[in-house]
PDB file of all heavy atoms in Angstrom:
ATOM      1  N   GLY A 638     259.204  66.377  -8.626  1.00 37.00           N
ATOM      2  CA  GLY A 638     257.985  66.768  -9.322  1.00 37.00           C
ATOM      3  C   GLY A 638     258.132  66.838 -10.851  1.00 37.00           C
ATOM      4  O   GLY A 638     257.287  67.360 -11.577  1.00 37.00           O
ATOM      5  N   ILE A 668     257.539  96.309  -9.870  1.00 95.00           N
ATOM      6  CA  ILE A 668     257.949  97.693  -9.750  1.00 95.00           C
ATOM      7  C   ILE A 668     256.865  98.651 -10.122  1.00 95.00           C
ATOM      8  O   ILE A 668     256.592  99.641  -9.536  1.00 95.00           O
ATOM      9  CB  ILE A 668     259.268  97.881 -10.556  1.00 95.00           C
ATOM     10  CG1 ILE A 668     260.426  97.106  -9.954  1.00 95.00           C
ATOM     11  CG2 ILE A 668     259.633  99.411 -10.611  1.00 95.00           C
ATOM     12  CD1 ILE A 668     261.689  97.112 -10.842  1.00 95.00           C
ATOM     13  N   VAL A 682     247.267 119.769   5.443  1.00 72.00           N
ATOM     14  CA  VAL A 682     246.195 120.650   5.840  1.00 72.00           C
ATOM     15  C   VAL A 682     246.319 121.073   7.226  1.00 72.00           C
ATOM     16  O   VAL A 682     247.005 120.506   8.071  1.00 72.00           O
ATOM     17  CB  VAL A 682     244.805 119.972   5.566  1.00 72.00           C
ATOM     18  CG1 VAL A 682     244.621 119.660   4.049  1.00 72.00           C
ATOM     19  CG2 VAL A 682     244.693 118.763   6.292  1.00 72.00           C
ATOM     20  N   ALA A 690     239.965 117.069   3.154  1.00 75.00           N
ATOM     21  CA  ALA A 690     240.994 116.938   2.186  1.00 75.00           C
ATOM     22  C   ALA A 690     241.178 115.532   1.583  1.00 75.00           C
ATOM     23  O   ALA A 690     241.405 115.336   0.421  1.00 75.00           O
ATOM     24  CB  ALA A 690     242.326 117.399   2.822  1.00 75.00           C
ATOM     25  N   PRO A 799     245.394  75.098 -27.946  1.00 87.00           N
ATOM     26  CA  PRO A 799     244.547  75.116 -29.145  1.00 87.00           C
ATOM     27  C   PRO A 799     244.957  76.232 -30.071  1.00 87.00           C
ATOM     28  O   PRO A 799     245.401  77.330 -29.619  1.00 87.00           O
ATOM     29  CB  PRO A 799     243.188  75.388 -28.536  1.00 87.00           C
ATOM     30  CG  PRO A 799     243.224  75.021 -27.135  1.00 87.00           C
ATOM     31  CD  PRO A 799     244.647  75.307 -26.726  1.00 87.00           C
TER      32      PRO A 799
END
Side-chain angles (χ1 to χ4, degrees):
I668 293 172
V682 294

